[in-house]
Amino acid sequence: MKVIICGAGRVGYGIAERLSTEENDVSVIDTSPSLIHAIRESLDVRGYVGHGAHPEVLAQAGADQADMIIAVTLYDEVNMVACQVAHSLFNVPTKIARIRAQSYLASHYSDLFSREHMPIDVIISPEIEVGQMVLRRIALPGANDAVRFSDDLITMVAIECLEDCPVVNTPLEQLSDLFPDLTATVVGVWRDGHLIVPRSSDQLVTGDLAYVICDRSHVRRTLGLFGHEEPEATRIVISGGGNIGFFVAKTIEERQARTKVKIIENDRDRAVRIADDLNRTVVLNGSSLDQQILVEADIQDADLMVALTNDDQVNILSSVMAKRLGCKSNLALINSPAFLDFTRTLGIDAHVSPRAVTISRILQHVRRGRILAVHSVQQGAAEVVEAQALETSPIVGKELRELDLPHGIRLGALYRDGQVMRPDGDSKIKTGDRVVLLARAEAVRHVEQLFRVSLEFF
């Protein structure tokens, strides 16, 4: 696949890194010579210094032969115009744009991005995507990661196995026998810096991070089985009243009447604006690194500190300070991959990476085959994938024990006619079934093949 990426920042670099390792033909455009130099030096991609919306720059990058353009510059307008030019002048089939300003995304302007006006096939709004991720994490205390699939009826949760975890040193197949009515499957284990796809005879050990795919209605029971029965937070302090912080607070007001939320916002004008737009949320003007402000927000009595500013260091330090002052738990927004490996030692209970969320959304549309959703885990070490079986899929109609699935793939759940099922050796996948699975990075291509549309389908 030939892909043009406009923007060589963190997200653009991350997408280029992933796609180039999968032998795609990738070109990256950015106005910064230093960013283009860095990406040329470290990745097997072509880099072009220039404006991503200018026709001559797109032509130089090979837009006339491109299968896809991904516009993720810092500016919504550049991203939109780049897609328009790619469509109008070069007939690029798939156009993806990152758009942050919510005014463009208002429902009564939904016709703006139609093929007749500004033809963008996929719009990614990081603020909404990340805000929804934060809300899921708040709703599932004890989970290190949480993503929903199959009409929100299947959930993937990442659960840390602590010292008192009841399921450690027990073969996974034995867990299935002990809890036959629990629709949950351990599909991956992060251990000592490596992603393992376990076999039924394998065991979890203390310190593992287990990736479990389960029926949404069984999530809390699954967390309890792993020893995580933390109560849901009802007193929350949010650091940062930007788009994400405001979205989270507003949604909590609408959905959780008994949850008390306070926001600390450093910019006075912004604090005044969001205070006018929120009903029950208390807004404090000040720095979340100011101990006096934290105390004024009653951080010592809070269940959860959610740090959502644009500054990683502020998010990390304010989260650590909050726990030192008595807050029970914290959740931090962290953009830089350099910090992700140190979150636990720094005192961060859980984190959300906007870069990872955005890359996951884009990968969903890059993947070949009938791929419905993708969630990247551990900085690309594996992907949790939802795929739909078509009539010509090679896995249809056979018992799973008969399938010679490539190493590095483990099925977690089947979704059929509104029902969630745990797959076992006797299970047969039918045409139209949705399958949620985990695949190591090197096995993703095999997943695409398993759910491909062959020519005989037509």
Side-chain angles (χ1 to χ4, degrees), residues 137-144 159-160 162 164 220 222-234 303 328-329 344 349:
R137 301 288 285 279
I138 291 174
L140 293 174
N144 286 49
I159 313 172
E160 186 176 7
L162 302 176
D164 57 350
R220 291 198 178 277
T222 301
L223 286 167
L225 182 65
F226 278 76
H228 289 276
E229 298 182 289
E230 296 91 334
E232 189 170 341
T234 58
D303 299 313
K328 295 182 178 65
S329 185
R344 182 61 63 179
D349 296 317

Side-chain angles (χ1 to χ4, degrees), residues 376-415:
S376 179
V377 300
Q378 294 298 340
Q379 301 186 56
E383 294 177 12
V384 182
V385 176
E386 178 184 358
Q388 187 170 37
L390 300 175
E391 186 177 346
T392 56
S393 299
I395 61 173
V396 167
K398 302 176 183 177
E399 292 186 353
L400 293 184
R401 62 167 53 91
E402 297 176 358
L403 294 177
D404 185 21
L405 289 177
H407 180 69
I409 297 174
R410 185 167 170 85
L411 276 57
L414 301 179
Y415 178 68

Side-chain angles (χ1 to χ4, degrees), residues 63-130:
D64 58 329
Q65 298 177 352
D67 300 297
M68 177 181 295
I69 183 170
I70 302 170
V72 288
T73 75
L74 295 175
Y75 307 101
D76 293 351
E77 292 74 18
V78 173
N79 296 337
M80 291 188 289
V81 174
C83 289
Q84 178 70 70
V85 173
H87 171 80
S88 301
L89 298 185
F90 302 103
N91 199 28
V92 177
T94 304
K95 299 157 287 291
I96 299 175
R98 179 173 63 178
I99 298 177
R100 285 192 168 99
Q102 298 304 299
S103 57
Y104 286 123
L105 306 177
S107 57
H108 49 283
Y109 297 137
S110 59
D111 197 41
L112 173 63
F113 300 108
S114 66
R115 191 169 183 84
E116 293 75 24
H117 297 116
M118 189 170 290
I120 300 176
D121 302 295
V122 181
I123 294 171
I124 296 174
S125 174
E127 282 78 7
I128 292 178
E129 299 279 350
V130 173

Side-chain angles (χ1 to χ4, degrees), residues 297-362:
D298 296 322
I299 197 68
Q300 65 277 6
D301 298 321
D303 299 313
L304 177 65
M305 167 71 154
V306 185
L308 301 174
T309 76
N310 291 323
D311 190 317
D312 286 355
Q313 296 181 39
V314 171
N315 292 340
I316 292 170
L317 291 173
S318 61
S319 297
V320 173
M321 287 178 63
K323 287 197 74 173
R324 293 279 176 88
L325 291 171
C327 184
K328 295 182 178 65
S329 185
N330 59 38
L331 169 63
L333 187 75
I334 300 179
N335 285 281
S336 174
F339 289 123
L340 296 180
D341 292 334
F342 307 104
T343 53
R344 182 61 63 179
T345 56
L346 290 171
I348 306 300
D349 296 317
H351 67 270
V352 172
S353 168
R355 176 177 178 268
V357 171
T358 304
I359 290 173
S360 293
R361 279 278 284 122
I362 290 172

Side-chain angles (χ1 to χ4, degrees), residues 139-150:
L140 293 174
N144 286 49
D145 198 358
V147 187
R148 292 177 184 167
F149 300 92
S150 301

Side-chain angles (χ1 to χ4, degrees), residues 283-299:
V283 180
L284 303 175
N285 176 222
S287 170
S288 54
L289 296 179
D290 184 337
Q291 183 170 324
Q292 185 175 344
I293 289 290
L294 289 172
V295 171
E296 187 178 342
D298 296 322
I299 197 68

